[in-house]
């Protein structure tokens, strides 16, 4: 979006290049991720966002506690990078919508795992219940949501994107 606005304002041909836009997006998202991940992981560790039980008694074992909802930052970085560098059209919007919705489902799943771990630590659920609920939301619900979201975006794309002929093309098959 910003690159497109710069091209409209300056008419520099380089800014109209898809290769240039992709390169800027790649470098920007890498730098943003490298800058934001260390404080974000520290934030998650400080609030014990992990689906793993903390059985370690030594500080060394506690230091390497795996952190689950780190994908939320990837979601934010990619959405921000797309907002800054992509030329918005119906194809980009449909792909971004699917990515954001799938990321939200993953985030809800990760948060459900963490909440179940906290409930176990407080004694609200038994270890057997925790083992049963360790997946966060059920795989059936996740898959159903993925299919529904994909179908809704596909129907909207078919209805509103011009020049879609309704045929599925499979590479290397005539």
């Amino acid at each position: 979006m910003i690159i497109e606005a710069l091209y409209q304002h300056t008419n520099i041909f380089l800014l109209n290049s898809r290769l240039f836009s992709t390169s800027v997006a790649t470098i920007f998202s890498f730098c943003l991720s490298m800058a934001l991940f260390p404080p974000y992981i520290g934030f998650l560790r400080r609030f014990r966002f992990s689906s793993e039980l903390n059985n370690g008694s030594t500080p060394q074992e506690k230091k390497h506690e795996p952190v689950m909802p780190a994908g939320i930052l990837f979601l934010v970085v990619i959405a921000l990078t797309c907002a800054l560098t992509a030329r918005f059209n119906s194809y980009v919007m449909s792909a971004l919508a699917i990515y954001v919705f799938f990321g939200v489902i993953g985030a809800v799943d990760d948060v459900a795992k963490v909440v179940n771990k906290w409930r176990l630590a407080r004694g609200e659920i038994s270890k057997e219940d925790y083992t049963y609920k360790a997946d966060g939301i059920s795989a059936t619900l996740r898959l159903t949501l993925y299919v529904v979201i994909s179908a809704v975006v596909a129907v909207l794309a078919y209805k509103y994107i011009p020049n879609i002929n309704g045929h599925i093309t499979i590479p290397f098959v005539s």
Side-chain angles (χ1 to χ4, degrees):
M1 196 156 94
I2 289 179
I3 292 177
E4 181 70 23
L6 285 173
Y7 173 70
Q8 296 291 332
H9 185 65
T10 63
N11 285 333
I12 298 173
F13 181 73
L14 178 67
L15 297 173
N16 196 32
S17 167
R18 289 189 179 144
L19 180 62
F20 179 75
S21 296
T22 304
S23 301
V24 168
T26 302
I27 293 168
F28 179 73
S29 61
F30 176 76
C31 292
L32 194 60
S33 295
M34 293 300 288
L36 293 179
F37 255 100
Y40 182 69
I41 297 296
F43 168 79
L44 293 175
R45 282 191 176 149
R46 184 174 37 240
F47 289 102
R48 294 183 170 179
F49 272 91
S50 169
S51 66
E52 299 296 320
L53 292 175
N54 193 5
N55 295 330
S57 57
T58 65
Q60 202 67 315
E61 290 175 271
K62 291 180 183 179
K63 181 179 179 186
H64 297 291
E65 179 180 311
V67 178
M68 291 303 293
I72 295 170
L73 187 61
F74 277 127
L75 179 71
V76 171
V77 166
I78 291 174
L80 181 64
T81 301
C82 186
L84 293 176
T85 60
R87 290 182 183 90
F88 280 104
N89 57 34
S90 35
Y91 300 109
V92 172
M93 293 300 291
S94 59
L96 189 59
I98 288 175
Y99 178 72
V100 168
F101 282 121
F102 281 22
V104 168
I105 292 169
V108 168
D109 181 51
D110 289 344
V111 169
K113 290 176 189 178
V114 171
V115 167
N116 285 332
K117 183 191 90 165
W118 288 346
R119 291 179 63 207
L120 176 66
R122 289 191 305 252
E124 295 175 7
I125 60 174
S126 67
K127 182 119 177 164
E128 293 80 26
D129 287 339
Y130 174 76
T131 306
Y132 174 72
K133 296 178 181 180
D135 283 341
I137 59 177
S138 71
T140 305
L141 178 61
R142 278 194 316 257
L143 184 61
T144 303
L145 290 172
Y146 290 156
V147 169
V148 166
I149 289 168
S150 299
V152 167
V153 171
V155 167
L156 290 174
Y158 183 75
K159 185 173 182 177
Y160 293 110
I161 295 178
N163 302 328
I164 289 184
N165 59 10
H167 294 93
I168 296 175
T169 304
I170 300 172
F172 309 113
V173 176
S174 59

